[in-house]
Amino acid sequence: MELCVNTVIRYVGDQRLERILWIDAEQKACFVIDIQGREFPKSRWLEEIQYGIEQGLIVMEESDPWACFVDPQMMSAKEKEKWDKDWQIVQAIASKDFEPQIFVSAERSKLIRQAAERFGLSEKQIGRILKRYWSRGKTKLAVLPDFANRGGRGKERKQTARKRGRPKKFDSIYGEMNVSEEVKKIFRIALDKYYYKANRPSLRWAYEQMLKEYCSEVRKLDNGVELPVMESGTAIPSFSQFRYWFRKWRDLKKEISLRESAKKFHQRYRPVLGSTQQDVFGPGSVYQIDATVADVYLVSSFDRTKIIGRPVLYLVMDGYSRMIAGLYVGLEGPSWQGAMMALKHACESKVEWCRQFGIEIREEDWPCVYLPESILADRGELLSDKALSIIEHLQIAVKNTSPYRPDWKAVVEKHFDLIQTHVKPFLPGAIQEDFQERGAKDYRLNATLTIPEFTQILIKCVLYYNNRHYLTGYQRDAEQIAQDVQPIPIQLWNFGIQHRSGRLRRVSEDVLRFNLLPTAEATVTPGGIRFQGMYYSCPTALKEKWFVHARTHGTRKLVVSFDPRNVSQIFLRLGRTSYDVCNLLESQARYRNLSLEDVNYLLAWEKYNQATSQDLELRERITLAAEIEAIVVEARKKTHAESIPMSKSQKLRDIRENRRQEKERNRKQESFSLVRSSASERVVQRNEEEQDERSYFGLLKQKQEDAFCGDR
């Protein structure tokens, strides 16, 4: 690096900085000025400077300590006026036309004297302008006035006996005081003790507590109560002084962390200097998963008059492409079962699943059928021992965010708001902002959609988002820009698959099923394999006669895997490499192709109806018992009125004859004729029946009298 005009050199010993102002044509001598001093330029031999550089005694500085960048539009009119005037003085006596004469003391004095007379300034003022021009780089910016340094902003004033600052407008009973180092210490202690607290007291309250503790005297009243008292004339710091130093020392991180919480600071107020894109390499690097309760009330698929509440929505999103890889809608709260179903959906083909909801798609419309490299969750469902299965058997790294830090998986968190904001205006039963306010409409009464219908709407939204939504905040890299890859999830996904592959993997359906599907106990009974109130059968059970064994030796338990989205089948693991599919029995056809939530609701509804019917039945049974008792009482009265004294053998001896006679009478009463008789014939027949009846009762009465008299 060669020596030239404006080069700044530093002397290693005393750290003095000098600027080269002029070099002669023969490259032998030069003039320099100490840019940190107040002296005029001095002459130096270039050979001495070069020798010092070779010996390491002098160093050439690469940066100029006086370099500045100023926007003239931000300068005041007075500052511009002073700047232009000083520049005119420099142009009049220190331009290149006056070099090197201006550096010589005798010639410089003459030029300064002429400039002082011309511009109406003193020679000292002209000298200061020249020194500033030379030491700061010999440009127009070098003579820029230091108006920005006026007032000593940010600098503390020296301690004096006189009260600093503006005097009070109104007199006070208390004296004024300067804020000394000791008072500052009290301020700091008071702020830590009374202001930085979780109950968030006001700054005024902290100031008053400080005065009570440090500026008052404790006096005991006659009743023994001690009160802090500040005497008139006592010098105390004002609230303005206290507030001034509070603002000067203010640390927002400390204030929010101590008065609210450190979590809240990191969640809402921390600097956002990074991006989720910096942690991902390509599709499948990180899948973000989360759940939320949807803002809509649903009705039952079996009875639309029954409101079943708000569903739980799970989403799985790719951190690289923002692609929605999977979703799950159910009634169970955020749980391991829901998370696993969402992950399974993210790793399987969507064509057949969408067809169940009447939506036909192609594989390329929703091509997410891969296992991710890692999963990012929020210390909920995946923070358990159950996650070991997907870590060990599927080789998926599970990451969890810190507590109360949803911003660490902002991709999926924000999309909940986007998708619900988009569909909420169309959904009957959706919750609005005034929900549960006094006088507000109860939106639950408008519930109309079932779980399958709500899922169908979500599928439509996902297909639109994945294939059409433009990501306004997505920052494309140079390669994506070069290939004109638009920030649309499907385009980013396809680009990543082609150029950033290596993170995605595929496994068989059986591996997914037995590592992601939830498991539960089923019972082998004589009526089938009972699971969640439903009955199944499988070829293995029939071949090995499980149901016969259950009837002769009792039931037994076994573990099955099931898909909560469709209970038509459950899966029984027989060994390490084999399993059997259990299908619903024909008698259980009403459960076919239903979700587990629908089945549970149906069974619960039936149990409710059964319990209600049992209550009504109990009431009717009590009424029936009372009616029977009334009939029995009446019969006893009649029997007792007609009874005659008889021995047991007499009562039992003629049972057969009595039965025969009773049967004959019943036959006559129960018989019917197809021939229509005349009225006279019916009268004659009725008279004959009455005569027979009288003769019968007469004979019976005669036998009773004979028995009573002992004549057998």
Side-chain angles (χ1 to χ4, degrees):
M1 189 173 181
E2 297 182 357
L3 295 173
C4 59
V5 174
N6 255 346
T7 299
V8 178
I9 59 176
R10 174 170 55 85
Y11 292 84
V12 177
D14 54 5
Q15 299 297 317
R16 186 173 76 256
L17 294 174
E18 290 183 348
R19 185 187 301 277
I20 298 177
L21 301 178
W22 180 83
I23 300 175
D24 68 346
E26 297 179 357
Q27 296 284 319
K28 291 184 178 180
C30 66
F31 283 96
V32 299
I33 187 173
D34 186 352
I35 65 175
Q36 296 172 332
R38 298 183 178 180
E39 299 178 354
F40 282 107
K42 298 179 181 179
S43 61
R44 289 279 191 275
W45 294 107
L46 283 176
E47 186 178 354
E48 294 178 358
I49 297 176
Q50 291 174 348
Y51 177 78
I53 293 174
E54 293 174 358
Q55 297 298 318
L57 302 176
I58 298 176
V59 178
M60 299 174 64
E61 290 290 326
E62 295 183 0
S63 60
D64 191 338
W66 282 109
C68 64
F69 308 94
V70 180
D71 186 359
Q73 296 181 355
M74 300 179 65
M75 298 171 59
S76 64
K78 189 175 182 180
E79 191 174 9
K80 289 182 180 180
E81 182 181 355
K82 178 70 169 60
W83 188 23
D84 293 337
K85 186 175 180 180
D86 291 350
W87 180 244
Q88 290 177 9
I89 295 173
V90 171
Q91 291 292 93
I93 61 175
S95 63
K96 293 182 179 180
D97 298 336
F98 296 93
E99 293 179 355
Q101 295 90 343
I102 190 66
F103 300 125
V104 179
S105 177
E107 295 294 331
R108 182 170 59 246
S109 298
K110 294 179 182 179
L111 294 173
I112 289 177
R113 193 178 304 113
Q114 294 174 3
E117 295 175 356
R118 176 181 173 183
F119 293 98
L121 299 175
S122 65
E123 295 182 9
K124 288 185 178 181
Q125 290 176 317
I126 301 296
R128 285 197 295 268
I129 294 172
L130 291 177
K131 292 175 185 177
R132 188 166 72 244
Y133 169 68
W134 288 325
S135 63
R136 298 189 181 186
K138 296 180 65 178
T139 63
K140 186 176 181 179
L141 286 175
V143 296
L144 186 70
D146 297 329
F147 282 12
N149 297 333
R150 288 184 174 182
R153 179 179 297 177
K155 298 180 181 179
E156 296 185 16
R157 304 294 188 268
K158 294 181 180 180
Q159 294 289 338
T160 60
R162 182 183 176 185
K163 170 68 172 64
R164 298 190 303 272
R166 184 177 60 185
K168 291 185 177 181
K169 186 176 182 180
F170 304 102
D171 294 335
S172 173
I173 63 174
Y174 301 110
E176 298 179 341
M177 65 184 304
N178 285 322
V179 179
S180 62
E181 292 298 326
E182 184 178 355
V183 176
K184 292 178 188 177
K185 184 177 180 181
I186 294 175
F187 284 177
R188 290 184 182 275
I189 294 173
L191 288 171
D192 291 337
K193 190 174 182 180
Y194 300 115
Y195 182 74
Y196 296 120
K197 295 296 180 181
N199 57 349
R200 290 184 278 183
S202 65
L203 187 64
R204 172 74 69 173
W205 186 85
Y207 167 73
E208 293 171 354
Q209 297 302 309
M210 179 193 68
L211 295 181
K212 182 182 74 171
E213 183 172 354
Y214 295 100
C215 302
S216 63
E217 296 179 359
V218 178
R219 289 186 180 180
K220 183 177 291 187
L221 302 180
D222 296 338
N223 57 3
V225 178
E226 295 182 349
L227 293 178
V229 177
M230 290 193 303
E231 295 288 348
S232 299
T234 304
I236 63 172
S238 66
F239 178 70
S240 298
Q241 290 172 319
F242 184 72
R243 182 176 55 196
Y244 168 81
W245 287 102
F246 162 73
R247 291 175 177 174
K248 190 177 182 66
W249 298 330
R250 192 170 194 178
D251 184 351
L252 288 177
K253 180 179 180 180
K254 176 182 178 181
E255 183 175 346
I256 296 172
S257 299
L258 295 179
R259 286 171 61 86
E260 299 184 28
S261 68
K263 296 173 183 176
K264 189 170 184 179
F265 171 81
H266 288 295
Q267 182 177 346
R268 298 188 181 181
Y269 304 102
R270 65 177 177 84
V272 183
L273 305 178
S275 170
T276 55
Q277 295 176 232
Q278 66 190 29
D279 300 327
V280 294
F281 174 78
S285 294
V286 178
Y287 272 7
Q288 297 183 13
I289 181 173
D290 198 15
T292 190
V293 180
D295 293 337
V296 62
Y297 279 85
L298 304 181
V299 297
S300 170
S301 301
F302 296 99
D303 185 356
R304 289 182 177 269
T305 63
K306 306 295 183 181
I307 301 175
I308 61 176
R310 298 162 61 184
V312 176
L313 170 61
Y314 267 93
L315 286 182
V316 180
M317 296 189 68
D318 176 46
Y320 172 80
S321 64
R322 308 294 196 270
M323 192 87 162
I324 298 179
L327 65 88
Y328 173 70
V329 181
L331 293 180
E332 295 291 337
S335 60
W336 169 261
Q337 175 177 310
M340 290 303 97
M341 294 311 303
L343 287 175
K344 183 177 184 298
H345 183 252
C347 304
E348 65 184 5
S349 176
K350 314 298 189 297
V351 176
E352 185 61 33
W353 181 76
C354 290
R355 187 174 292 123
Q356 297 177 9
F357 297 93
I359 300 175
E360 295 291 338
I361 65 171
R362 300 170 300 173
E363 195 71 44
E364 54 267 25
D365 294 333
W366 200 346
C368 303
V369 293
Y370 306 98
L371 289 177
E373 184 180 37
S374 62
I375 300 171
L376 181 62
D378 58 358
R379 301 180 62 84
E381 305 84 350
L382 298 184
L383 191 64
S384 66
D385 295 337
K386 296 179 180 179
L388 295 176
S389 174
I390 61 176
I391 295 175
E392 296 177 355
H393 304 305
L394 298 180
Q395 294 297 304
I396 300 176
V398 177
K399 305 175 183 178
N400 286 282
T401 62
S402 299
Y404 305 100
R405 295 303 303 275
D407 51 306
W408 283 12
K409 48 182 179 60
V411 172
V412 65
E413 289 283 351
K414 184 60 180 176
H415 195 71
F416 282 128
D417 295 335
L418 293 176
I419 194 170
Q420 295 206 102
T421 302
H422 181 71
V423 302
K424 186 185 292 187
F426 304 98
L427 303 182
I431 298 176
Q432 305 301 330
E433 294 181 357
D434 60 349
F435 182 65
Q436 292 186 342
E437 291 184 4
R438 179 176 295 180
K441 185 178 180 181
D442 193 343
Y443 302 100
R444 295 174 294 184
L445 301 176
N446 297 332
T448 304
L449 300 172
T450 62
I451 289 181
E453 290 167 347
F454 181 62
T455 305
Q456 189 177 16
I457 292 175
L458 292 179
I459 293 174
K460 295 286 187 180
C461 293
V462 169
L463 292 174
Y464 158 76
Y465 172 83
N466 284 348
N467 296 276
R468 296 292 182 268
H469 181 65
Y470 190 93
L471 303 171
T472 55
Y474 192 92
Q475 296 182 357
R476 297 179 295 170
D477 56 30
E479 189 175 359
Q480 291 171 341
I481 295 174
Q483 298 194 25
D484 194 26
V485 178
Q486 298 299 316
I488 297 174
I490 188 66
Q491 295 192 27
L492 295 172
W493 175 274
N494 293 333
F495 172 83
I497 292 295
Q498 185 176 359
H499 299 88
R500 305 289 177 83
S501 59
R503 294 293 188 270
L504 296 171
R505 293 174 292 114
R506 294 196 71 167
V507 295
S508 66
E509 181 70 19
D510 295 343
V511 174
L512 273 181
R513 178 177 294 137
F514 288 107
N515 286 283
L516 292 180
L517 286 182
T519 59
E521 278 192 346
T523 305
V524 179
T525 69
I529 301 174
R530 185 176 66 238
F531 171 73
Q532 298 285 340
M534 299 169 286
Y535 288 86
Y536 297 81
S537 180
C538 64
T540 302
L542 296 174
K543 180 180 179 181
E544 298 181 2
K545 298 179 174 58
W546 286 3
F547 309 130
V548 176
H549 189 275
R551 193 163 189 176
T552 56
H553 295 82
T555 62
R556 66 186 181 95
K557 302 289 185 180
L558 49 83
V559 178
V560 296
S561 299
F562 65 97
D563 188 343
R565 300 170 299 180
N566 192 333
V567 297
S568 299
Q569 296 177 334
I570 58 176
F571 307 97
L572 174 64
R573 185 178 295 183
L574 301 177
R576 293 186 176 183
T577 59
S578 61
Y579 68 93
D580 205 348
V581 178
C582 304
N583 294 286
L584 279 169
L585 298 177
E586 290 298 327
S587 60
Q588 307 289 298
R590 66 173 184 168
Y591 304 122
R592 190 165 290 126
N593 296 325
L594 295 180
S595 65
L596 184 60
E597 286 84 3
D598 287 334
V599 172
N600 289 336
Y601 180 80
L602 174 61
L603 296 177
W605 184 29
E606 289 185 340
K607 288 183 179 179
Y608 171 77
N609 291 335
Q610 180 182 358
T612 304
S613 299
Q614 286 177 348
D615 293 340
L616 297 175
E617 183 181 1
L618 178 60
R619 184 180 65 185
E620 296 300 326
R621 287 173 66 88
I622 294 174
T623 303
L624 175 62
E627 292 175 347
I628 293 174
E629 288 180 355
I631 295 173
V632 171
V633 170
E634 183 66 23
R636 283 177 178 174
K637 289 181 180 180
K638 292 180 179 180
T639 303
H640 182 71
E642 297 181 4
S643 64
I644 57 177
M646 296 177 64
S647 64
K648 294 181 180 179
S649 59
Q650 288 177 328
K651 291 182 178 181
L652 301 176
R653 184 182 56 191
D654 297 329
I655 290 179
R656 288 189 176 181
E657 180 62 23
N658 296 339
R659 179 183 178 88
R660 185 190 64 77
Q661 295 176 4
E662 187 70 18
K663 186 185 297 183
E664 290 295 331
R665 287 193 299 271
N666 289 339
R667 286 176 178 175
K668 292 180 180 180
Q669 294 176 358
E670 295 173 357
S671 63
F672 59 90
S673 176
L674 298 179
V675 180
R676 181 175 300 176
S677 60
S678 63
S680 58
E681 291 176 346
R682 289 196 296 268
V683 172
V684 173
Q685 183 178 359
R686 188 182 304 113
N687 292 334
E688 291 177 352
E689 290 175 355
E690 291 177 354
Q691 185 177 0
D692 292 342
E693 185 176 0
R694 284 195 300 268
S695 61
Y696 173 77
F697 281 109
L699 179 61
L700 179 61
K701 186 176 181 180
Q702 182 63 40
K703 286 186 176 182
Q704 289 178 345
E705 290 176 353
D706 294 341
F708 179 77
C709 296
D711 186 4
R712 295 182 178 272

